[in-house]
Amino acid sequence: MDTKQEEILIYDGFLISVLLKGIISVGEVLGGIALFFIPPAFIVGIATIVLNHLPLPSLQGILLTEVAKYTTGTVVFVALYLLSRGLIKVVLIGALLKNMLWAYPASLVVLAGFVLYQLYQIFSAHSLLLVAVTLFDLIVMYFIWREWKIVERHQGHVR
């Protein structure tokens, strides 16, 4: 059983992490929508300009090779992925902020699915950014779990 002070700290962590996740999710939705309207050649051109200023030539070469693979099919996949991922999380985060009990386990299941996919991507692509995103998702999941148990206890739904 948590003390009142511990519950406040858990709620603060929950609120901050879920709000940050919400901001990121809205960004994913906007990015997904934007990708439908931005031609792949424009994205490749901007990325090439930015990457040409990297101080590490070997990293620059690797990234430029990856950017060159960016095609219309890739854009559609990334756009749909970001849009669906973002929309799902925006809906769940809205429900979490309204203390809807179903949203706690649903959010944990959805985030666990994303974490599993991200782990697969980490082991195949070795992305440090994806490692950071995955760690953040695990922190968010921790606070969702803890807050869910507190909300259930206060609403008398303890199993």
Side-chain angles (χ1 to χ4, degrees):
M1 175 91 49
D2 299 309
T3 67
K4 188 67 175 164
Q5 186 63 28
E6 288 170 332
E7 286 183 3
I8 291 169
L9 289 173
I10 290 167
Y11 178 75
D12 289 346
F14 166 80
L15 188 59
I16 291 167
S17 65
V18 166
L19 287 174
L20 284 173
K21 190 54 119 172
I23 291 167
I24 293 166
S25 299
V26 168
E28 288 174 342
V29 170
L30 295 175
I33 292 169
L35 285 175
F36 282 116
F37 300 103
I38 300 172
F42 179 77
I43 295 170
V44 169
I46 295 295
T48 302
I49 290 168
V50 171
L51 292 174
N52 279 329
H53 291 86
L54 280 178
L56 301 169
S58 59
L59 179 62
Q60 182 183 35
I62 293 168
L63 293 175
L64 284 171
T65 302
E66 289 302 312
V67 166
K69 296 177 187 176
Y70 202 63
T71 65
T72 301
T74 305
V75 171
V76 170
F77 173 78
V78 171
L80 289 173
Y81 177 76
L82 286 175
L83 191 58
S84 61
R85 176 183 164 100
L87 285 173
I88 290 167
K89 290 188 299 180
V90 164
V91 167
L92 288 170
I93 288 165
L96 283 171
L97 294 173
K98 291 179 180 179
N99 270 347
M100 296 179 170
L101 282 180
W102 65 266
Y104 292 91
S107 297
L108 291 170
V109 168
V110 167
L111 283 174
F114 287 138
V115 164
L116 288 174
Y117 178 72
Q118 289 162 197
L119 289 172
Y120 165 76
Q121 289 296 319
I122 289 167
F123 289 114
S124 63
H126 310 292
S127 167
L128 289 177
L129 177 62
L130 204 48
V131 169
V133 169
T134 303
L135 289 174
F136 178 66
D137 284 347
L138 292 171
I139 291 167
V140 173
M141 289 174 70
Y142 167 79
F143 282 115
I144 290 171
W145 174 265
R146 293 295 307 272
E147 181 65 13
W148 178 28
K149 295 303 157 193
I150 292 168
V151 169
E152 274 189 328
R153 190 171 53 246
H154 285 267
Q155 291 184 359
H157 291 98
V158 178
R159 295 179 190 176

